[in-house]
Amino acid sequence: MDNKYKICAVVVTFNRKELLINCLDAINQQTYKPHTVLIVDNASTDGTKDFVKENEYYNVEKNGIDYKYLLLPNNQGGAGGFYNGMKTAYESLEQFDAVWVMDDDGVPSMKCLSELQKYLDKSSFISPLVCNIEKHSEMAFGTLKETNIDKVNALYPTGIVKNHANPFNGILFKRDLMDKIGFPKKEMFIWGDENEYEARAIKNGFEPMTILSAKHFHPKDRLVLFPDFLGRKNIVFVASSPLRCYCKYRNTSYVLVKYKGLLNLVFYVFRYLWYFIISRKFDVNNAVLFCDAVCDGIKGDFSNHNKFFKK
């Protein structure tokens, strides 16, 4: 390959073998091909390894791309998966110029990497526009003023959205960024590790940018948000998953304390306690879970999510 940059794609997977193959097929069809694809398997139990072998992506060179399979000894969550994948790529003797990072449920468009790599001489933190995989005319996440793609393009005629990214969804990280800030915080397990890594990068002078011509397709944000005391729908609560709620509350608290300031943390705590006490009429159990998670986040204690795995 005569590509200017040597890039390693890092794909983290756990028990979603069909989605993983869709992702790998899309990477295999890129017009600008990565040198290597590192598949990081978080100890899947659904036959992912055999399925990857059947589809000829297991430790093989295919279409000019070197596919490598990294099986972790246990499920370390998305945070652990991205930590191991990015660290392995960074320490490789190949001396990759950048890593291209995504979950198994994302599908990059054919020109996604081609469009992203054009900006590696300008930025070390480059994001594609993350679009709804079922409705390509809208964004997957409501992180800009508009969710309609045409309106987003009209708002940003240069084709670049500065200070915006959807981390770990087709993100391209240049080597110098990892030189300075290291890798994702694996102890966070799930939900919030991407926000911590973005905040850490910004604190160290790396400005993210989103390239509108680079499309990465992803399932639409499935969160159901509830209104806070101001009527704004920004309360995250997943009643069926104490683990997810705990990690979200803990990791958010950690990021607020470390990067955003005490007042932001106080406001965050007030909003959620108002929700549990007033809106949910003294939902004591979840209020206690929230307080425990916030305390752990403030202390930087990332061990207690393990209690949710005990029978």
Side-chain angles (χ1 to χ4, degrees), residues 187-222:
E187 298 86 358
M188 294 183 114
F189 193 67
I190 57 170
W191 218 357
D193 50 303
E194 74 282 11
N195 297 325
E196 191 278 334
Y197 199 66
E198 179 179 30
R200 199 191 327 161
I202 292 171
K203 182 179 180 180
N204 282 275
F206 295 97
E207 179 184 286
M209 62 166 59
T210 293
I211 307 305
L212 301 185
S213 59
K215 302 291 197 306
H216 186 80
F217 302 107
H218 187 277
K220 185 176 175 59
D221 191 349
R222 295 180 290 271

Side-chain angles (χ1 to χ4, degrees), residues 1 7 30 36 41 52 68 87 93 110 118 127 135 151 153 169 187 199 208 218 227 233 238 259 263 278 288:
M1 290 187 292
I7 296 171
Q30 292 295 299
T36 300
D41 184 349
V52 169
K68 295 184 180 298
K87 185 173 186 291
L93 296 177
M110 285 182 64
K118 293 176 183 178
S127 174
K135 189 177 181 181
K151 291 182 179 180
N153 286 325
N169 288 291
E187 298 86 358
H218 187 277
K233 289 189 175 182
V238 185
Y259 302 105
L263 285 178
I278 304 301
V288 169

